[in-house]
Amino acid sequence: METNREKITANGVSINIFNNDGNTDFISLTDIAKYKNKSESNVIIQNWLRLRSTIEFLALWESINNPDFNNEAADQFMNESGGNAFVLSPKKWIESTGAIGISSKPGRGGGTYAQSDIAFNFASWISPSFHLYVITDYQRLKQDESNKLNLDWNLNRNLSKINYRFHTDAIKNNLIDTNTPKRLAGYTYANEADRLNMIVFGMTASEWRENNKKIKGNIRDNADINQLLILANLESFNAQLIREGISDEERTLKLIDMAKSQLKGIDDRHLLE
């Protein structure tokens, strides 16, 4: 039974949220999709669901959070994805896999809702800049509701950890040959991680450790909320560029441009103060 209904506003778009158990927020994908197309929000959601990268993300989230998730059904959808005739609706995904991360609500105030991590992924696909507005106003809402000082940081750290998994999967499947020795493969993972570290923090992970020997945790554990948010976006974007076969040099330039754009948005609007 629904216990709480709230609303955020992202760049002028009103987005509904409901909460069933006092812990898990479900954000309206239907409302988020209206930023792209007010009259065809369901089509926008289905286009997102058709993507193999989306199905992989949803399957990973469910595998972590849902012990009853049907991985075989998800694998079948992944195999079918990319075909011209492939269509996947929220209802079909839920009924076929037993998914709990997406909810289809009928009637007034209904539509497609998703757990916050999934909703943020959808918002990022809609528009990286709009994603900033969504996550920022959601964080403002959480700050208003709670006195827990570390809520926003934990939110973005968890998002970064999920995106890190997809980042490493993209590296494994596209940059590392099956015959590559394990030690050399490790260098590839580290180099890609440090590509992002240099852009966000201005130093590699080993340089940070050398300069902060008395501080617990690693470079990402000690990042601020703005750095974590941008890092999560860059991980997702870099994974996409790797899958597309973009060269190292071009990827670096695109990632730098994205980071600068998001930093400018934060500075101009004081989004995450």
Side-chain angles (χ1 to χ4, degrees):
M1 181 177 179
E2 184 176 321
T3 59
N4 193 24
R5 181 177 284 274
E6 298 169 309
K7 187 174 292 187
I8 61 175
T9 302
N11 199 23
V13 178
S14 181
I15 301 172
N16 286 291
I17 300 173
F18 78 86
N19 189 303
N20 278 343
D21 58 10
N23 295 312
T24 307
D25 285 335
F26 277 73
I27 302 175
S28 174
L29 300 188
T30 301
D31 291 339
I32 292 174
K34 290 177 181 177
Y35 176 80
K36 201 74 169 177
N37 190 319
K38 292 183 179 180
S39 61
E40 300 288 348
S41 56
N42 288 340
V43 175
I44 299 297
I45 294 170
Q46 289 188 18
N47 286 341
W48 172 69
L49 282 172
R50 292 182 71 243
L51 300 173
R52 181 181 178 88
S53 59
T54 298
I55 298 171
E56 288 176 343
F57 180 90
L58 295 177
L60 175 60
W61 188 94
E62 294 289 345
S63 297
I64 294 172
N65 296 280
N66 181 6
D68 298 320
F69 180 64
N70 188 337
N71 277 292
E72 291 183 1
D75 288 341
Q76 181 63 36
F77 285 136
M78 275 189 264
N79 291 334
E80 296 173 3
S81 65
N84 292 335
F86 177 63
V87 177
L88 182 59
S89 67
K91 183 178 180 181
K92 185 176 181 180
W93 169 256
I94 295 166
E95 292 178 349
S96 300
T97 66
I100 61 174
I102 290 182
S103 171
S104 185
K105 295 175 64 63
R108 185 179 179 182
T112 302
Y113 286 75
Q115 187 272 347
S116 56
D117 288 338
I118 296 171
F120 296 151
N121 178 274
F122 177 62
S124 181
W125 176 77
I126 290 287
S127 163
S129 59
F130 182 64
H131 170 252
L132 278 174
Y133 285 104
V134 173
I135 197 170
T136 297
D137 209 52
Y138 177 77
Q139 291 168 340
R140 177 201 55 76
L141 176 66
K142 296 294 101 178
Q143 285 178 331
D144 290 343
E145 292 175 346
S146 174
N147 290 324
K148 293 170 65 179
L149 298 177
N150 292 325
L151 178 63
D152 290 336
W153 187 93
N154 288 332
L155 178 68
N156 285 286
R157 186 65 175 115
N158 289 335
L159 182 62
S160 179
K161 286 179 179 179
I162 291 176
N163 281 353
Y164 178 75
R165 170 67 180 273
F166 283 95
H167 190 233
T168 56
D169 283 350
I171 295 168
K172 177 181 178 181
N173 295 331
N174 296 274
L175 299 182
I176 299 176
D177 186 89
T178 54
N179 297 320
T180 301
K182 188 174 182 180
R183 184 175 179 181
L184 291 179
Y187 286 132
T188 304
Y189 289 116
N191 287 339
E192 288 301 323
D194 276 335
R195 186 190 305 275
L196 304 186
N197 288 337
M198 286 295 298
I199 294 171
V200 177
F201 306 108
M203 65 182 73
T204 66
S206 61
E207 288 171 342
W208 186 92
R209 284 194 298 270
E210 183 63 26
N211 295 332
N212 299 276
K213 294 180 179 179
K214 295 183 179 180
I215 298 179
K216 293 182 179 180
N218 58 38
I219 188 171
R220 300 183 181 207
D221 292 331
N222 289 276
D224 63 38
I225 183 174
N226 292 338
Q227 291 170 327
L228 285 175
L229 178 55
I230 293 172
L231 180 63
N233 285 336
L234 291 184
E235 285 175 333
S236 179
F237 187 42
N238 195 37
Q240 177 183 332
L241 295 176
I242 290 172
R243 287 192 292 267
E244 292 175 357
I246 306 299
S247 68
D248 288 358
E249 182 177 357
E250 188 176 354
R251 276 195 292 118
T252 299
L253 293 175
K254 287 179 178 293
L255 290 165
I256 290 173
D257 285 343
M258 182 179 186
K260 286 180 177 178
S261 175
Q262 297 198 356
L263 279 171
K264 186 177 186 303
I266 292 170
D267 291 338
D268 286 352
R269 301 174 183 86
H270 305 288
L271 288 177
L272 302 180
E273 290 185 346

